[in-house]
Amino acid sequence: QGNKSFSLRKWTVLLFVKRLCKMPEGPDLHLASCYINKVCSGVVFSGAVVKSEVSKNSEVPFASEAYTICSESRGKEIKLTLSPIKEEKVKENVKRGKQQNTMASNALTLVFRFGMSGHFRMTSEDEIPKHAHLRFYTKEKPRRVLSFVDIRRFGSWEVNGSWQPDRGPCVMFEYEQFRANVLNNLSNKAFEKPICEVLLNQKYFNGIGNYLRAEILFRLKIPPFTQGRAAIELSVKSQENSEHSLSKKVKVKMENPDILELCHSVPLEVVNFAGDYYEREPLEYYSVFSKWLQCYYVAGMKTLRDSNGRTIWFQGEAGPMAPKGAKVPKRKYLIQKQETEENDAKSLVVKPKIKKTKKSLVQASPQKSTKSVVVKKKKQSKELPSVRTGQSMEETISAQRGRRRVVSHDSAVKKQQTPTRKQKVVKEEVKPKIPRTVDPMRRTRNSKAKLTLLNTVDSALK
C-alpha cells in the first residue's frame, strides 16, 4: 500500500509538471548558464557540433579537434562561446611537466532563446535525451554530450549572434540601468496598456515572464488590468514622498518595496532557492518551485486572458481595463496549499477538477440526490408484489417471477402475431387486382348524348 500511494503521488505530480508548462524566464536562463559553466569547467570538447534532422534552426558551421565552452546570461538570452584550443607542447615545458595552451582567435558564439521548454543537459553518449536538437561531444572516453533539449521546438539559436538590441537591461544583474530605463520612458505609449501586459514587454522588463508577473502583482495587491503608467508612478512615488530619515526610508523600502524593486528581488529568490535543484530531476525541481508559488497555478486564484492571449493569475478585482466578455481558461490541475500538523509548511497537492456530468451533479447536490432516492423507492414499491397474510416472502417472490415469465411469453407471442412494416408492404403487393364494375346504362346514356350532338351539328351545317 505504501508503494502504491508513493507511485500515485509521483504520477499526480508528474501530471502537474506536464500541465504547468512553465516557460523559462530570467531566473531559469541564469540557472542554465551556471549549470553549463559548472559541468563544462575543465572539460575539452572535440569534433563538429551536431544538429538534429528535425530542427528547423540553422546549421552550426564549427568543428575543432579541441575546444572549450563557457556561458553567460542576460535576461531571457544565453550566450555560449566555443573557443578552440591550440596545444603547443614545447620540449622545455614538457620536461618541466607544464603544458602551454593558447586560445585561437576564431572563437564562435551562439545566442540561445529557450522558447517554451528549452534547457541544457550533460549526459553520457548512450543517454542522449530524445529531443536533443543540438549536441556538443567531449573528447574524453567514454564520451559525454552537452545537449540543448527542446520538446516543443520553440527555442532557437543564432550563430555569431549578439544580445538583441530591442531587449532592455537585465532585471536581475543590471538593476540600476533597468530602473532608469523604465522611469525615463514612462511617457511612452507602451505604458498605457494594463500593467500585466507592460510587465511582459522585454524592451523594459527583460527577464520577467508569466509566473513572475503574477507573483509580483499578487504581493503588491495591484489589480492586473490597471494602467501600467499609473501603477508604476503610484508605487514609486509613495516611497519617494515619504517624510522620513534616510535610515527609516531604507527600512520602509525593505519592508514595502515598490514594483521595480520586486521585479529585481523576486527573480533572485528563484535563483537562490532553486540553484541546487536545477541539476537534479525535474520532479524535485518543480516540487520545490510549486511550494514557493503563492499565486501562479494556485487553487482559489482567478484567471483571465490579456489582449495577447496570455493567462494572468490574480486575486481580488481584475481592474478597470479588464477585457469585457473574456473567457476564463479552464485548468485541470492546480496547486493546493495545505498546512500540515507536524510543520506548517505548504505541501504540494495536485487536485484534478471533476468534469460536470449528470452523475456528478446528482452526487454533488444533496437536494437532487434525496429526490432521486425517493423516486427510486417509489418505483420499487410499485414493482414489488403485495405480501398477503399467511404467505411467506419467498412465495411472493416466486409468484412475482412466475407473473414476469407469463408476461414475457405473452409479449413474445404478440410480437410474432403483429406484422412488421415490411410484411405489410409485401401483403399489399400480393393482393389480386379487382376489376372495376362498369354500369351498362352509363354507356347507353353516353352514346345517346353523342348522337344528339351529331344531329345538332349536322343541322347547323345544313
Side-chain angles (χ1 to χ4, degrees):
Q1 288 179 356
N3 292 331
K4 284 181 180 179
S5 63
F6 173 75
S7 61
L8 247 171
R9 172 84 172 167
K10 191 174 181 180
W11 181 75
T12 49
V13 175
L14 279 169
L15 272 175
F16 162 71
V17 171
K18 186 181 176 183
R19 292 283 177 182
L20 186 59
C21 292
K22 182 175 75 67
M23 260 183 89
E25 301 181 15
D28 306 292
L29 273 84
H30 176 70
L31 290 170
S33 178
C34 295
Y35 171 77
I36 292 166
N37 289 330
K38 185 177 180 179
V39 297
C40 295
S41 63
V43 178
V44 178
F45 292 82
S46 178
V49 180
V50 182
K51 184 182 82 71
S52 68
E53 296 177 358
V54 182
S55 178
K56 295 180 181 179
N57 288 304
S58 59
E59 294 280 350
V60 180
F62 181 84
S64 177
E65 292 182 0
Y67 66 95
T68 59
I69 297 176
C70 63
S71 173
E72 59 177 322
S73 69
R74 182 177 182 267
K76 286 192 176 184
E77 294 177 306
I78 277 186
K79 186 191 286 185
L80 261 64
T81 306
L82 314 182
S83 306
I85 302 171
K86 288 182 179 179
E87 298 183 357
E88 297 178 355
K89 295 182 179 180
V90 187
K91 291 182 180 180
E92 294 179 0
N93 292 334
V94 169
K95 289 178 181 178
R96 294 174 185 176
K98 294 181 180 180
Q99 185 176 351
Q100 186 179 358
N101 298 333
T102 58
M103 294 291 179
S105 59
N106 53 349
L108 183 133
T109 57
L110 290 169
V111 177
F112 286 85
R113 295 165 193 103
F114 281 9
M116 293 285 287
S117 59
H119 61 279
F120 279 91
R121 277 288 171 269
M122 176 74 93
T123 59
S124 62
E125 195 173 4
D126 299 331
E127 298 177 349
I128 296 173
K130 183 181 178 181
H131 300 279
H133 297 299
L134 202 65
R135 300 186 287 275
F136 308 87
Y137 290 86
T138 61
K139 197 174 183 180
E140 61 193 3
K141 291 184 181 181
R143 293 198 300 178
R144 290 186 295 164
V145 187
L146 178 69
S147 306
F148 175 66
V149 186
D150 188 11
I151 297 170
R152 304 187 71 178
R153 283 187 276 173
F154 286 110
S156 64
W157 59 80
E158 186 182 350
V159 180
N160 286 323
S162 58
W163 306 123
Q164 281 185 343
D166 294 339
R167 292 180 182 268
C170 179
V171 295
M172 291 185 291
F173 304 108
E174 297 172 349
Y175 174 65
E176 296 298 332
Q177 296 93 319
F178 151 70
R179 190 178 180 90
N181 184 38
V182 172
L183 295 176
N184 293 335
N185 292 290
L186 274 178
S187 58
N188 199 316
K189 286 184 179 180
F191 291 91
E192 292 177 2
K193 294 181 179 180
I195 186 64
C196 62
E197 295 179 16
V198 171
L199 288 175
L200 294 184
N201 191 341
Q202 300 301 300
K203 189 175 180 179
Y204 303 104
F205 297 88
N206 187 11
I208 302 295
N210 205 19
Y211 77 84
L212 285 175
R213 70 168 177 175
E215 296 298 319
I216 290 164
L217 295 176
F218 173 77
R219 294 187 186 191
L220 292 171
K221 297 180 181 179
I222 296 175
F225 289 95
T226 54
Q227 192 192 34
R229 186 185 296 113
I232 294 169
E233 285 178 350
L234 186 68
S235 179
V236 172
K237 286 181 180 179
S238 62
Q239 289 191 359
E240 289 180 355
N241 296 334
S242 59
E243 297 177 356
H244 294 293
S245 61
L246 184 62
S247 60
K248 284 187 178 181
K249 280 185 178 181
V250 171
K251 190 177 180 181
V252 168
K253 277 192 175 183
M254 291 290 287
E255 292 175 355
N256 302 309
D258 60 30
I259 190 168
L260 300 180
E261 288 170 351
L262 280 182
C263 288
H264 168 67
S265 62
V266 173
L268 288 176
E269 285 181 19
V270 181
V271 172
N272 292 330
F273 79 76
D276 299 332
Y277 290 92
Y278 188 83
E279 301 174 20
R280 303 181 190 177
E281 293 182 359
L283 188 65
E284 294 182 13
Y285 174 68
Y286 281 106
S287 62
V288 175
F289 173 74
S290 59
K291 288 178 184 178
W292 173 81
L293 291 172
Q294 299 178 22
C295 178
Y296 185 72
Y297 256 92
V298 175
M301 298 296 165
K302 298 177 183 178
T303 55
L304 276 177
R305 292 192 190 276
D306 58 17
S307 62
N308 300 318
R310 303 290 301 276
T311 304
I312 176 68
W313 298 76
F314 63 96
Q315 189 180 39
E317 296 181 359
M321 298 180 75
K324 294 179 180 178
K327 293 182 179 179
V328 179
K330 295 179 181 179
R331 302 291 172 186
K332 290 186 178 180
Y333 298 93
L334 301 173
I335 305 168
Q336 285 197 339
K337 302 291 183 179
Q338 291 184 351
E339 292 185 357
T340 57
E341 293 179 1
E342 297 176 359
N343 53 349
D344 294 337
K346 293 175 181 177
S347 60
L348 171 66
V349 179
V350 182
K351 184 180 178 182
K353 284 186 177 179
I354 301 165
K355 290 183 179 179
K356 290 184 179 180
T357 58
K358 290 181 179 180
K359 290 182 180 179
S360 64
L361 285 170
V362 169
Q363 291 174 3
S365 58
Q367 294 178 356
K368 288 185 179 180
S369 61
T370 52
K371 284 181 183 178
S372 62
V373 169
V374 171
V375 171
K376 284 180 182 177
K377 283 182 179 178
K378 284 181 181 178
K379 286 181 180 178
Q380 286 175 2
S381 64
K382 285 180 182 179
E383 289 174 2
L384 287 171
S386 59
V387 181
R388 296 176 183 176
T389 56
Q391 190 176 7
S392 64
M393 194 68 185
E394 292 178 358
E395 290 176 359
T396 55
I397 290 165
S398 62
Q400 182 68 11
R401 283 177 183 170
R403 285 178 196 171
R404 283 178 185 172
R405 284 174 189 169
V406 171
V407 170
S408 63
H409 177 70
D410 293 341
S411 61
V413 171
K414 284 180 181 178
K415 280 182 181 179
Q416 288 177 3
Q417 290 176 358
T418 53
T420 59
R421 190 176 178 183
K422 288 183 180 179
Q423 288 173 353
K424 285 178 182 178
V425 173
V426 171
K427 284 181 180 178
E428 284 176 1
E429 289 176 357
V430 173
K431 283 179 182 179
K433 292 183 179 181
I434 300 167
R436 291 178 66 187
T437 56
V438 182
D439 188 9
M441 292 300 293
R442 189 177 177 184
R443 288 183 180 177
T444 55
R445 285 171 192 166
N446 290 336
S447 59
K448 285 179 181 178
K450 284 179 182 177
L451 284 169
T452 52
L453 253 172
L454 287 169
N455 291 328
T456 52
V457 169
D458 289 334
S459 62
L461 287 170
K462 288 177 180 180

